[in-house]
């Protein structure tokens, strides 16, 4: 993927100086954490988007793209714009913001590309407004961006992007977010270069579940949360099982079963589909294992002659990072 790193404020004659401009890094996130469909997600340190903000005297939102993805610059059609407009409604009628977006998280990859833009946007503007909103408000604004991307308000990418670490979304209405102390695990992600439409991934899900499967699933969710809090790798590994969603959705991802099997043989604790795919993630205790998992992923997709990108990274504990003003 081409990398664009351009800071418009360093060259712009319009620069208003410190206090009016800020740069942030918004991390990728893994939602639908195996058994925790729609309720558990976590942030990772790589990849991340870079965004530059400038307060303007003119009201409204101006979007500038600094990357190759050609996303809409109309604020109502770009998730960053949708999130900022929701926030500005609760600010005043005079404030406006210009945001320049350099995405490194490919849209539609399943690692929270839209969430990074929505969450990054509201954290950036909030910083310029002297942090007048609390994190829960920011999640609420950013969900307007997710609604634009996928048609529904969901927070399992937004919340970890803003809070960092692993977050439990116990409820959306009313919003109830529980940040969980996450152990410092390694994460290997593979993104096969195929398109899985979120609508298809949602459309194939069964609307009813068997009681015995539900019991197994909530046992796993409770086990995973306990394992994360107690830093119990064996319990995390045993609980990384999804009997409801993965058996249906994984058919959309070529080589999924083999990737999972080889990753576990390489020492991964477990993993599954990231978001609604096509990316797949695996958790490991140490970097060496995470790299062996990456090698296993390469083997599978090279055999299938499928172009793919991999990341070996760690859980991001801080969420969107605000860099010091230039
Ligand atoms: P992901 O899980 O990678 O975020 P989604 O399918 O949920 O993928 O969201 C990507 C969709 O949102 C694409 O249709 C993309 O065109 C749209 N979109 C609009 N604005 C943005 C933005 N700033 N960043 C990412 N995607 C955006």
């Amino acid at each position: 993927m081409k990398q664009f790193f351009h800071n418009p404020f360093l060259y712009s004659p319009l620069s208003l100086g410190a206090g009016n401009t800020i740069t942030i890094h918004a991390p990728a996130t893994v939602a639908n954490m195996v058994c925790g469909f729609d309720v558990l997600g976590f942030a990772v340190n790589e990849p991340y988007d870079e965004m530059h903000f400038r307060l303007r005297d003119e009201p409204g939102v101006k979007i500038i793209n600094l990357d190759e993805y050609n996303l809409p610059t109309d604020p109502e059609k770009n998730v960053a714009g949708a999130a900022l407009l929701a926030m500005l409604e609760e600010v005043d009628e005079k404030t406006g913001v210009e945001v320049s977006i350099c995405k490194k998280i490919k849209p539609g990859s399943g690692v929270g590309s839209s969430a990074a833009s929505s969450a990054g946007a509201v954290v950036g503007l909030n910083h310029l407004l002297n942090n007048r909103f609390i994190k829960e408000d920011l999640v609420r604004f950013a969900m307007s961006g997710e609604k634009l991307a996928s048609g529904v308000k969901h927070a399992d990418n937004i919340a970890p992007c803003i809070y960092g670490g692993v977050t439990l979304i116990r409820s959306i209405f009313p919003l109830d977010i529980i940040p969980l102390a996450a152990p410092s695990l390694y994460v290997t992600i593979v993104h096969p270069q195929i398109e899985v439409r979120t609508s298809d991934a949602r459309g194939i899900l069964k609307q009813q579940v068997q009681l015995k499967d539900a019991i197994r699933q909530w046992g796993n969710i409770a086990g995973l949360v306990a394992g994360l809090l107690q830093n119990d790798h064996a319990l995390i590994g045993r609980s990384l099982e999804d009997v409801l969603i993965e058996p249906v959705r994984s058919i959309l991802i070529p080589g999924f079963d083999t990737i999972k099997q080889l990753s576990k043989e390489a020492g991964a604790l477990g993993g599954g589909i990231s978001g609604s795919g096509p990316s797949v993630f695996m958790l490991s205790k140490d970097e060496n294992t995470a790299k062996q998992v990456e090698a296993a992923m390469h083997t599978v997709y090279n055999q299938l002659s499928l172009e793919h990108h991999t990341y070996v990274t760690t859980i991001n504990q801080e969420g969107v990072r605000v860099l010091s003003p230039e």
Side-chain angles (χ1 to χ4, degrees):
M1 188 187 300
K2 254 190 265 166
Q3 307 286 311
F4 290 76
F5 258 106
H6 163 67
N7 183 341
F9 300 134
L10 290 180
Y11 315 106
S12 168
L14 291 171
S15 180
L16 298 174
N20 286 311
T21 68
I22 194 78
T23 296
I24 62 99
H25 288 170
T29 44
V30 171
N32 294 339
M33 192 177 179
V34 192
C35 46
F37 180 72
D38 267 1
V39 298
L40 282 172
F42 63 90
V44 291
N45 281 310
E46 292 276 339
Y48 58 83
D49 290 348
E50 183 162 292
M51 301 170 85
H52 310 279
F53 299 81
R54 179 210 307 274
L55 282 181
R56 307 164 80 213
D57 294 333
E58 256 175 85
V61 177
K62 181 174 176 199
I63 293 179
I64 298 170
N65 287 326
L66 302 175
D67 53 48
E68 69 209 273
Y69 297 119
N70 219 9
L71 289 164
T73 51
D74 176 349
E76 290 187 3
K77 297 193 176 132
N78 188 307
V79 300
L84 289 169
L85 289 172
M87 187 170 175
L88 285 173
E89 264 180 37
E90 294 186 25
V91 180
D92 59 44
E93 279 156 21
K94 288 180 284 195
T95 306
V97 63
E98 175 188 293
V99 54
S100 305
I101 308 175
C102 179
K103 292 198 75 67
K104 290 196 280 169
I105 312 168
K106 193 170 175 180
S109 51
V111 285
S113 178
S114 51
S117 284
S118 311
V122 294
V123 172
L125 178 57
N126 194 40
H127 192 83
L128 292 178
L129 298 174
N130 297 319
N131 293 316
R132 74 168 70 167
F133 294 104
I134 59 168
K135 284 183 177 171
E136 206 179 284
D137 290 328
L138 299 181
V139 171
R140 194 163 48 81
F141 301 136
M143 282 202 300
S144 296
E146 288 296 64
K147 175 129 201 265
L148 176 65
S150 65
V152 279
K153 284 194 172 178
H154 62 101
D156 48 345
N157 289 103
I158 295 286
C161 196
I162 288 177
Y163 287 76
V166 185
T167 52
L168 169 66
I169 321 297
R170 196 199 62 80
S171 153
I172 294 272
F173 302 113
L175 205 48
D176 191 0
I177 298 164
I178 299 103
L180 304 174
S184 51
L185 294 171
Y186 281 79
V187 188
T188 314
I189 298 172
V190 62
H191 175 205
Q193 303 294 292
I194 55 164
E195 191 188 348
V196 172
R197 284 209 224 121
T198 308
S199 53
D200 290 343
R202 280 205 174 262
I204 60 169
L205 294 181
K206 293 186 206 151
Q207 293 306 310
Q208 250 106 48
V209 299
Q210 298 269 340
L211 182 60
K212 69 173 175 40
D213 292 336
I215 292 168
R216 190 158 178 140
Q217 193 87 351
W218 64 55
N220 279 328
I221 297 171
L224 180 54
V225 170
L228 290 168
L229 295 180
Q230 294 170 6
N231 203 1
D232 182 337
H233 292 143
L235 178 56
I236 293 171
R238 291 201 298 284
S239 308
L240 285 171
E241 178 196 53
D242 172 8
V243 296
L244 297 182
I245 310 296
E246 185 182 289
V248 183
R249 271 202 176 161
S250 57
I251 56 170
L252 299 174
I253 302 173
F256 179 83
D257 291 338
T258 320
I259 285 186
K260 208 167 143 185
Q261 187 199 326
L262 294 188
S263 298
K264 285 198 179 170
E265 283 171 18
L269 298 173
I273 303 167
S274 177
S276 54
S279 290
V280 174
F281 79 98
M282 290 287 151
L283 296 178
S284 301
K285 275 183 281 197
D286 56 72
E287 189 174 13
N288 189 32
T289 308
K291 285 190 170 156
Q292 287 181 25
V293 170
E294 182 187 34
M297 291 167 166
H298 280 311
T299 305
V300 175
Y301 281 138
N302 287 342
Q303 269 171 9
L304 292 174
S305 302
L306 189 51
E307 210 191 311
H308 59 281
H309 292 294
T310 54
Y311 300 93
V312 175
T313 182
T314 44
I315 295 187
N316 169 314
Q317 306 286 359
E318 133 189 58
V320 176
R321 171 181 291 185
V322 179
L323 308 187
S324 15
E326 297 79 18

